[in-house]
Amino acid sequence: MAMQGRFHFYEGYSMKEVTFPIRVMYELGIKTLFVSNASGGMNPDFKIGDLMIITDHINFFPEHPLRGKNYPTGPRFPDMHEPYDHALIELADKIAEEKGIRVMHGVYVGVQGPTFETPAEYRMYRAMGGDAVGMSTVPEVIVANHCGIKTFGVSVITDLGGFDVPVAVSHEEVQEAANKAQPLMTQIMREMIRLTKA
């Protein structure tokens, strides 16, 4: 099953609506979720167009996707010690190495949006342990974990922030950088799907 785009919290959707596709996936028997996003890089080792394999996240959304009545797909207080599956990360690293694709690792900070971050916000998120920041992914991953679905995530670094000289960013520039990196991400994910199905 593949989705074309997603629902964003900043568009005015509730967290229940944002994460509803994950609930549908669970009911359809999906066992593994691949997620991707465009994000701003705060790690000084990153370059625009890099692929960052997400190893963990920090949730800065103002509403939690599991708030309210607990769904019977998981416990009231789900464990989040491995939100992104380690075995899938290792597989992606191996494939990237074989194909000569540069991949980075890092912590994704999920925020509400829809504004891009100020220089001070970039520095704050970096000081808190973030490597990239974006406006999606975290709610879906939380619900996937609640449903027992293994998750693998990739951020495409489409802009850089939090450094000495602030750089203006536009939505068009973000889309252009994402479009250039997408074929590389697709190569890795297609091979992962092929190997995990075997």
Side-chain angles (χ1 to χ4, degrees), residues 132-184:
V133 59
M135 307 169 197
S136 66
T137 303
V138 170
E140 297 104 304
V141 170
I142 289 172
V143 170
N145 275 264
H146 184 254
C147 291
I149 297 173
K150 294 181 179 180
T151 304
F152 173 76
V154 175
S155 292
V156 178
I157 305 303
T158 54
D159 58 283
L160 300 171
F163 305 121
D164 293 337
V165 181
V167 178
V169 60
S170 71
H171 182 61
E172 291 72 25
E173 290 171 325
V174 167
Q175 285 183 315
E176 182 181 352
N179 289 339
K180 288 181 179 178
Q182 185 175 344
L184 299 176

Side-chain angles (χ1 to χ4, degrees), residues 95-141:
I95 293 167
E97 184 177 1
E98 290 172 352
K99 293 183 176 294
I101 299 173
R102 169 185 162 101
V103 293
M104 312 300 282
H105 285 194
V107 174
Y108 177 82
V109 181
V111 299
Q112 173 177 297
T115 54
F116 291 112
E117 289 66 39
T118 69
E121 287 169 340
Y122 271 123
R123 290 193 296 271
M124 176 186 73
Y125 295 140
R126 178 62 181 159
M128 296 178 76
D131 295 288
V133 59
M135 307 169 197
S136 66
T137 303
V138 170
E140 297 104 304
V141 170

Side-chain angles (χ1 to χ4, degrees), residues 52-87:
M52 184 192 85
I53 295 174
I54 306 173
T55 57
D56 204 345
H57 69 231
I58 299 172
N59 183 12
F60 260 95
F61 283 90
E63 182 183 327
H64 199 282
L66 299 181
R67 179 177 177 267
K69 182 180 178 181
N70 186 50
Y71 285 87
T73 59
R76 170 78 279 188
F77 304 105
D79 176 69
M80 290 292 291
H81 83 280
E82 191 179 332
Y84 302 87
D85 187 78
H86 294 173

Side-chain angles (χ1 to χ4, degrees), residues 37-49:
N37 59 61
S39 63
M42 303 172 287
N43 187 318
D45 294 332
F46 288 0
K47 299 185 297 187
I48 290 177

